[in-house]
Amino acid sequence: MDKPKTHRVFFALWPDLETRRAISRHAIPSLENVAGRNVDQHQWHITLAFLGNISEEMLTCVQQQAAQVSVQSFELTLDTVGYWSRPKVVWLGSQNMPDVLKTLVTDLNVALKACGYEPEYKDFKAHMTLIRKVTRRPANIQFMPITWQVEQFVLIESSFASTGSDYRILRQWSEVNK
Ligand code: ATP
Ligand code: MG
């Protein structure tokens, strides 16, 4: 019998073109001496909730539940670079997590519970991975902060490609299109 089809999915904030350009222009040059594998700019994102491999039924459920979550536009200032030694990643983040973002993650987690989802981490830390396979903590990274006007959150399907993971936006939710 065929294996039931599964989808590897996650909810994320997806930077618009202007934000990606600002990151390329301001943050990336400050990281040029960091040795590792750069994430392609078309893949930059901030994961809100990672569901992993789920069934078609669960995919339907999570989309229905996500539609119940209220979305409010907010400003996110990307002003800090961090390093995590275990996943060996350098990421871009914010020193101040906006309350609207905290609420969005909490609401999403609550909504997804109805589909059987349990968040893995209690303390969500918004981060955009920029470089992988980094084995040394970068020192003294300075750059001009980037202001991102976040208008929506998205559901992404991740699939394995020869070049690494390939992401596809399945759906998006914003204040206006709900
Ligand atoms: P690859 O696994 O090929 O290196 P990737 O990690 O970007 O690429 P996925 O493994 O599909 O691709 O993960 C998609 C997103 O979800 C990434 O931002 C990843 O950091 C995040 N993620 C993956 N696994 C988890 C997890 N267990 N908990 C929280 N976030 C996760
Ligand atoms: Mg992964």
Side-chain angles (χ1 to χ4, degrees):
M1 226 173 66
D2 286 347
K3 267 202 266 171
K5 181 156 177 53
T6 62
H7 302 265
R8 184 178 177 88
V9 298
F10 61 98
F11 286 95
L13 301 180
W14 204 257
D16 51 83
L17 183 60
E18 199 189 331
T19 303
R20 285 209 306 268
R21 282 192 178 145
I23 297 168
S24 306
R25 205 164 290 160
H26 304 300
I28 297 298
S30 72
L31 297 167
E32 68 176 1
N33 293 323
V34 179
R37 181 164 63 78
N38 291 351
V39 176
D40 186 279
Q41 64 156 293
H42 297 105
Q43 304 220 333
W44 290 343
H45 64 276
I46 291 177
T47 302
L48 300 177
F50 179 78
L51 290 124
N53 292 306
I54 61 171
S55 65
E56 294 270 357
E57 290 75 18
M58 185 149 166
L59 182 58
T60 305
C61 180
V62 301
Q63 296 196 44
Q64 282 167 352
Q65 287 301 110
Q68 307 301 316
V69 172
S70 78
V71 198
Q72 246 181 287
S73 173
F74 62 94
E75 220 172 63
L76 184 64
T77 306
L78 302 171
D79 56 4
T80 187
V81 158
Y83 173 65
W84 286 336
S85 57
R86 266 245 286 185
K88 297 191 174 65
V89 296
V90 164
W91 48 265
L92 184 62
S94 181
Q95 295 190 42
N96 284 309
M97 169 121 149
D99 286 338
V100 179
L101 176 53
K102 280 186 210 159
T103 306
L104 173 61
V105 172
T106 307
D107 290 357
L108 201 50
N109 283 333
V110 169
L112 297 176
K113 226 180 152 101
C115 309
Y117 169 74
E118 286 288 342
E120 200 171 342
Y121 302 107
K122 299 240 171 344
D123 49 343
F124 169 78
K125 174 102 174 101
H127 68 280
M128 181 184 289
T129 298
L130 296 180
I131 317 178
R132 295 176 187 278
K133 299 188 193 296
V134 180
T135 50
R136 251 194 258 171
R137 176 178 296 277
N140 197 26
I141 304 292
Q142 288 187 1
F143 61 96
M144 203 174 94
I146 296 143
T147 305
W148 174 8
Q149 189 64 44
V150 181
E151 303 282 357
Q152 59 194 1
F153 72 93
V154 299
L155 179 64
I156 303 290
E157 177 155 11
S158 167
S159 51
F160 296 106
S162 53
T163 46
S165 284
D166 186 36
Y167 302 141
R168 187 166 67 93
I169 298 179
L170 292 181
R171 249 171 108 168
Q172 53 200 52
W173 293 270
S174 64
E175 238 175 75
V176 282
N177 75 357
K178 268 188 66 125

